[in-house]
Amino acid sequence: MMSRDLSSMPHGIEIYADIAIIGGGPAGIAIARELADTQIRVLVIESGGHDYEAEVQALNAVENIGQPFASAKGTPEGRGYNGSLAWLNDIPAFELRNRMLGGSSHTWIGKCAAFDDIDFTSRPWLSLSGWPIERRELLPAVDRAGELLNLGPNLYDENLFDLLHSRPDDLGLDTQLLRPFFWQFSHMRHARAEPTRFNRLALDIRATNIDFLMHATVVQINLDSPGRRVTSLDLKSPSGRSASVRADTVILCGGGVENARLLLASNSAQPAGIGNAHGVVGRYLCDHPRTSLCRFTGRDIDAIARHFNFYGLGHGGRTHFYLRGLSLSPEMQAREGLTNCAAYPVQVHADDDPWAALKRLTKGAGKTFKRDLLAVAKSTDMIASGLYNRFIRKRGLPHRSTELRFDVMVEQQLDSESRITLADQCDPFGQPLARVDWKIGSREIDSVKRLALTISNEFTRVGLPKPRLPDWIVADDNAGAQFMDMAHPSCTTRMGTDPRTSVVDINAMVHGIDGLFVAGSSVFPTPGQANPTLMLLALAIRLADHLKQRHAAAQARKPRVNELDLSLLQGYPSRK
């Protein structure tokens, strides 16, 4: 890739491009890759640099006036991260974002799933539910996104069973109540153990029509006097340099918080903010409320882990592993007016777990060398059975654990009062912070509670160990429920056909603003229960296809105009 730094460029420089992409995270990089080696001049504008910088990360600060919050009945336990990623539990709500090339992919674990059929349908019990595009229309883009993420087949329900190397046991669970749900994990092709990092995918771009501008924060989107087109973008760097970018097409790829904040803060031509004539920008804020659903200890751990673990299949010359969990059936959701939710198993490994010890030994961890060596030496049988499971049966490794729990992420019902607005406090660039008022409704809480009770009842009925449920579920006390955000903000610039309830149209263009598009989870019409990356990449790829067609049509209508463009950057230092 070719990248330059605004901090080292002349103050007040003007840059021209055909398409300006605001944000160098997964959505922005995916679009840039799709547009590579075309005649379209693309500039990717990234607020941070190539590495972590505290000064830049501070721009993620928000004013949180909603959930999650501590109460007399408890404090949210975090996002469920273990081991080396446990520090992510301590990042304040809605601030777990990465202002650097690659965006959120620097701290994700690669967890992926596609949305269900029910997520796309209009559900009478959920207001504003249903997508304006059909699931089948999006499936080709989902598969292309899966290829980018180095995934196996995009199957996440019982249809996966017949493809698995060793089919899961039929537990006899009532499928009218619970359905199997799977997740798979994205990994780099050249580094199997590491989740896909989009900064590395950006580095692989060799196209001459793609440029990256680093340490360039967009602080204002400027419109023409009628307020129907973008005329320019105002940029600032931490060093105090400024720049202006002019592009025929602009794409916001800043994430569920920043996309809304930038539209609201760009209010010089439209006082309520761009695309906000009906007050929709920033509304319908959703995330995936997460909590621990049920727990197993002692011998019960192995009895559950035998069925709820990783299952492999061969695809594209390698083995892909899928994690088995459980979700509320569509029939139960419809019958009881619930939202979509799914539970996934999490094992807390013991200090003497041989596989964790073996991993540390291979990395040369000196502090625990003797203890790890002893753990491996006394667990030869477990290691032998694990190798057989992994390479012959294509199953997950057996671990020595202190606890197995099911964590849950639940779909939120849209609430217009759950929203992002502008705070009075400003960031170092003088721009108002995002004020986040995240609301978790009773329907989501009831859905989580119903899933927990159903798992408990069904496990007992079929002879599996009975889990220990949280006190608030046992006491039927919704007020005692404690949830944390999963850094999956969505729906704040939602897609739709009605400008009174949506911000962008079915092509992700802001209603009434020609050439201004939005990508990422902020355009989700509804949030689903699944991790958002696969679906937001599918929508980004779909948008890239539309932009190619749009650009071709525009070029056919007008002669090429020679103007100062990205070539003016050639005289300034670059990083390849």
Side-chain angles (χ1 to χ4, degrees), residues 297-339:
T297 56
R299 294 180 180 179
D300 291 347
I301 294 176
D302 291 338
I304 297 299
R306 173 186 170 189
H307 303 290
F308 295 94
N309 209 311
F310 286 95
Y311 293 79
L313 61 81
H315 177 78
R318 60 180 292 264
T319 300
H320 298 263
F321 284 92
Y322 295 71
L323 180 65
R324 183 187 185 187
L326 291 165
S327 66
L328 282 177
S329 71
E331 293 83 3
M332 177 177 276
Q333 292 178 50
R335 186 170 58 249
E336 301 186 18
L338 303 174
T339 60

Side-chain angles (χ1 to χ4, degrees), residues 31-47:
I31 293 172
R33 286 174 60 93
E34 292 294 317
L35 299 178
D37 296 314
T38 67
Q39 297 300 310
I40 306 172
R41 303 166 302 171
V42 178
L43 178 66
V44 181
I45 306 168
E46 169 54 43
S47 178

Side-chain angles (χ1 to χ4, degrees), residues 412-446:
Q412 290 199 259
Q413 177 178 240
L414 296 183
D415 180 352
S416 64
E417 294 306 310
S418 181
R419 62 187 300 197
I420 290 171
T421 55
L422 299 180
D424 295 330
Q425 184 180 351
C426 292
D427 67 16
F429 291 133
Q431 298 302 107
L433 300 183
R435 176 182 288 128
V436 183
D437 189 2
W438 183 39
K439 298 183 184 297
I440 301 174
S442 60
R443 196 182 299 268
E444 296 96 283
I445 299 174
D446 287 340

